[in-house]
Amino acid sequence: MKLSGWGRFPVQETTRLCPRDEAAIAPALAAGPLIARGNGRAYGDSAVGARTLDMRAFDRMISFENGLLVAEAGVLLADVIATFLPRGWFPVVTPGTKFVTLGGMIAADVHGKNHHAEGSLRDHLAWIELIGPDGALQRCSPTENAELFHWTVGGMGLTGVILRAGLRLRPVETAWIRQTTHPAPDLAHAMALFEQNAGATYSVAWIDCLATGPALGRSLVMLGEHAGLAELDARRRAAPFETPAKRRRSVPFDAPGRALNRYSVRAFNGLYYRAGQRRAGTSLVDWDSYFYPLDAVLHWNRIYGRKGLVQFQCVLPLARSEAGIRRLLKEISAAGHGSFLAVLKRFGAQDSPVSFPMEGYTLALDFPVSDAVLRLLDRLDPIVAAHGGRFYLAKDARLRADTLRATDPRTEGFAAMRRAQGLAPAFASFQSERLSL
């Protein structure tokens, strides 16, 4: 069958395996290399291989005590929130969609709008259970089989099949977020706002990637805090975990290939920035709107047309972030291939053998797939390399192996470990083959 990631590019031929229980995984492993896959929300080909192991049947939440959730890898984050938010618990780290599985979050070591303060998912995992190439189950944690734990969290599913995990949740008093929006007229102001608000729990900026001249990098910086019970009015305080029901919208078909162009994106960005200026200040928003605005539109990836989309996400070290992001934005603006989904976040320090984050700023942009866009991304890669940055493999669909090694010296150590531990012949995705992992 044909299969792709969320970006719908590239589309690959695969044999899909759908085990129903743990006993079925070892025979699948014995038959040849494979890669585990969750809900298909990785953008590119990291969760598609010649043989793809669909883990969505492993969707049981097993226990919950004192904030520690024990669950199988195929459990959706959306189901975790639906079950535990009404009881006053919320994930400490969440990516920008709730339609991801726990196993996928671990494989990518996802980060959220609070990495600067609370790290990535690995910092909130008590342990994981992993099935190795011989079919044996191992428990790994920061203190038990620690080396394998650190290679696995962020290892893109290339060290084994993640079966179960213990994940810590955070207590919250309400389902509301106190959001403060700051318009920033240029990149320097936006980055200054991040630094001045380093104590905020959550921070993220939408950035106008087509703005030029003095407005280069103009942004809307949005800060967030979990609202306390005392911050709600009497009506909301009576039911602090209830939020307004929303009508789900959907993109029913692929948009025309030329619908997203420099003119439509520039017009959207201008309108969105001015609307943000009018919304400046503090307000209460529900958790779904703050953390998962894109989830409100089902199949939003169809907006990018039949050819699909690619996301470019890099992180640049703190001292070189502003210079590097300026060069990236100038190149993108000059090419005219704007993105209306352009996001800037501040990362804190992180020590890991494979995970994506480093202390600095991360920039993420979506583009419709075309030959011209792929050539643009090839021109952005050397800018990231020249500024000491690296790339997020959960979003990658087109990086070259030499670029990855040039930007992330840890790569060769990861590949050598896979060879030494006999993992390379057992776990392979189209991405791992393309990147010689």
Side-chain angles (χ1 to χ4, degrees):
M1 68 174 292
K2 301 287 188 184
L3 193 63
S4 70
W6 179 246
R8 305 166 76 195
F9 172 84
V11 178
Q12 303 281 14
E13 186 70 33
T14 186
T15 298
R16 193 168 196 162
L17 312 170
C18 301
R20 306 300 301 178
D21 55 38
E22 184 177 337
I25 294 178
L29 277 167
L34 53 75
I35 191 71
R37 176 183 173 96
N39 202 36
R41 288 297 177 127
Y43 277 55
D45 50 4
S46 60
V48 185
R51 300 171 70 242
T52 303
L53 192 71
D54 189 327
M55 293 294 289
R56 287 180 294 178
F58 296 82
D59 59 354
R60 292 184 307 146
M61 287 184 268
I62 298 166
S63 67
F64 183 76
E65 186 174 1
N66 297 325
L68 180 67
L69 169 66
V70 175
E72 292 182 327
V75 169
L76 282 178
L77 180 61
D79 291 335
V80 173
I81 296 170
T83 302
F84 292 103
L85 183 56
R87 305 182 195 183
W89 297 90
F90 195 77
V92 182
V93 170
T94 172
T97 173
K98 57 184 178 292
F99 298 127
V100 290
T101 61
L102 179 55
M105 292 170 66
I106 295 168
D109 190 20
V110 295
H111 57 271
K113 300 176 176 72
N114 56 343
H115 187 277
H116 63 285
E118 297 178 296
S120 61
L121 188 74
R122 65 188 304 114
D123 298 301
H124 308 282
L125 284 169
W127 50 266
I128 59 175
E129 288 183 341
L130 190 72
I131 297 178
D134 57 357
L137 185 70
Q138 293 187 78
R139 178 171 287 215
C140 312
S141 75
T143 57
E144 181 180 7
N145 294 318
E147 188 174 359
L148 184 57
F149 174 84
H150 292 301
W151 284 121
T152 299
V153 184
M156 304 309 298
L158 296 172
T159 62
V161 177
I162 299 164
L163 189 65
R164 283 181 287 267
L167 176 68
R168 300 184 191 91
L169 308 185
R170 74 186 319 151
V172 294
E173 293 186 7
T174 78
W176 295 88
I177 300 294
R178 176 171 20 95
Q179 174 178 297
T180 303
T181 301
H182 297 278
D186 55 36
L187 181 63
H189 281 84
M191 297 179 78
L193 282 165
F194 276 106
E195 299 303 320
Q196 291 162 12
N197 292 281
T201 301
Y202 302 105
S203 59
V204 63
W206 168 85
I207 187 167
D208 181 355
C209 65
L210 285 182
T212 58
L216 182 80
R218 68 178 179 177
S219 306
L220 299 172
V221 179
M222 290 161 277
L223 312 177
E225 302 292 339
H226 289 280
L229 200 58
E231 296 178 69
L232 306 188
D233 59 31
R235 179 177 58 82
R236 289 172 176 165
R237 200 178 307 142
F241 296 107
E242 288 186 10
T243 54
K246 295 177 182 174
R247 180 182 177 186
R248 295 293 176 189
R249 293 164 290 170
S250 178
V251 179
F253 51 78
D254 295 321
R258 295 184 177 181
L260 292 180
N261 54 55
R262 71 177 67 191
Y263 306 107
S264 61
V265 174
R266 193 184 299 279
F268 171 87
N269 285 3
L271 290 170
Y272 192 79
Y273 182 73
R274 287 189 287 277
Q277 286 180 305
R278 292 193 294 273
R279 294 196 309 269
T282 300
S283 60
L284 285 181
V285 298
D286 65 85
W287 63 276
D288 207 9
S289 299
Y290 183 79
F291 290 106
Y292 314 109
L294 285 176
D295 286 347
V297 183
L298 301 177
H299 307 297
W300 64 261
N301 51 352
R302 292 175 178 168
I303 293 171
Y304 290 86
R306 186 168 296 175
K307 291 183 178 178
L309 70 115
V310 285
Q311 184 168 100
F312 179 91
Q313 183 166 1
C314 65
V315 58
L316 301 174
L318 189 59
R320 306 175 76 177
S321 286
E322 183 172 350
I325 292 170
R326 283 187 184 281
R327 283 198 55 190
L328 291 169
L329 293 176
K330 286 179 179 177
E331 187 70 34
I332 293 166
S333 181
H337 297 293
S339 164
F340 57 71
L341 290 174
V343 175
L344 184 68
K345 290 196 288 275
R346 171 73 153 87
F347 279 169
Q350 177 152 339
D351 183 18
S352 161
V354 288
S355 289
F356 166 64
M358 70 166 77
E359 185 167 23
Y361 282 83
T362 179
L363 179 67
L365 310 103
D366 288 351
F367 298 95
V369 172
S370 70
D371 292 341
V373 161
L374 294 176
R375 288 194 295 272
L376 167 65
L377 301 186
D378 285 343
R379 297 197 298 276
L380 300 184
D381 291 348
I383 298 174
V384 174
H387 291 82
R390 66 169 70 130
F391 298 93
Y392 192 17
L393 296 187
K395 304 293 181 67
D396 164 58
R398 32 66 59 185
L399 202 63
R400 294 199 306 262
D402 58 344
T403 303
L404 178 62
R405 278 164 172 73
T407 53
D408 194 341
R410 304 171 304 171
T411 301
E412 194 48 52
F414 182 60
M417 180 278 298
R418 283 194 2 105
R419 292 191 297 270
Q421 299 297 322
L423 302 175
F427 305 104
S429 62
F430 286 110
Q431 181 186 59
S432 74
E433 293 171 350
R434 173 168 48 85
L435 297 177
S436 300
L437 294 174

